[in-house]
Amino acid sequence: MKKIIYSMMALAMTATAFTSCEDVPAPYNITFEEGNNNTTPSAPASGTGTEADPFNVAAALKHIDAGQNLDKEVYVSGTIVSVKEIDTNNYGNATYFISDDGTTKGQLTVYRGYALGNKKFTPNDVLKAGDKVVVYGKLVNFNGTKEFTQGNYIYTLNGNKASQTPVVDLNTEATAWTVAEAVQKIQAGQTANGEAYVKVSSLK
């Protein structure tokens, strides 16, 4: 009798174990998305891709899906989700991700783009999550990754464009150039009025 009871208990425990295995959820909420594979738009598509009317990210993704006019450069407005890399030592470019709402939903990769004003990134240039950007360049679907191709650049950063005001090199009596500096300015065509203050040492 005891043997039968033990056998029944063993069967019950085995059945419970199998049932428990079916009911236990996966231990981790694992996703295998990397970059911008999560391309479900977080906003309705809008914009025409021009300077005056940039694409939003949803429209940019739709433009890539259409596969037409991808050889033309467009403007895309978005919010930085995260920054993968800023290379200030070699190429001066950065790779980062943008979306319409600043989350990972509906991301677009900005691959090896330049800084504001189409200039190389320097150690003083900072990009961070939440920054509002308008990026200018060509879009492409590269092996399933929807992205700006290399060579794009930031047209506006948090509403600011690159300064168009030329740097004024003041030349006054107090800040007179040396002869060597004057020669450099003349050769560079930086003496518009043909007059300048120059320090000249006495030959005596």
Side-chain angles (χ1 to χ4, degrees), residues 35-36 38-39 42 55-58 60-61 75-84 95-111 127-136 139 146-148 152 154 156-157:
N36 69 335
N38 181 10
T39 55
S42 59
F55 285 141
N56 67 353
V57 175
L61 296 173
Y75 295 84
V76 179
S77 174
T79 301
I80 294 180
V81 178
S82 60
V83 179
K84 181 177 181 180
T95 297
Y96 52 99
F97 307 96
I98 62 174
S99 71
D100 286 319
D101 61 359
T103 71
T104 57
K105 189 175 182 180
Q107 287 189 128
L108 175 69
T109 300
V110 182
Y111 180 70
L127 288 181
K128 63 184 183 301
D131 281 345
K132 308 290 184 180
V133 294
V134 173
V135 183
Y136 181 67
L139 297 170
K146 299 174 184 179
E147 65 183 31
F148 267 106
N152 66 81
I154 297 174
T156 66
L157 176 61

Side-chain angles (χ1 to χ4, degrees), residues 162-186:
S163 175
Q164 300 299 317
T165 305
V167 177
V168 178
D169 187 1
L170 295 176
N171 174 254
T172 65
E173 185 175 358
T175 60
W177 297 330
T178 64
V179 173
E181 288 174 335
V183 171
Q184 289 178 345
K185 301 295 182 182
I186 293 170

Side-chain angles (χ1 to χ4, degrees), residues 18-71:
F18 280 117
T19 303
S20 299
C21 289
E22 292 178 358
D23 294 338
V24 174
Y28 304 105
N29 183 21
I30 299 174
T31 60
F32 296 96
E33 296 174 350
E34 182 178 356
N36 69 335
N37 292 327
N38 181 10
T39 55
T40 303
S42 59
S46 65
T48 57
T50 63
E51 178 183 358
D53 186 30
F55 285 141
N56 67 353
V57 175
L61 296 173
K62 188 175 180 180
H63 180 73
I64 294 171
D65 286 337
Q68 298 176 351
N69 299 319
L70 295 181
D71 59 329

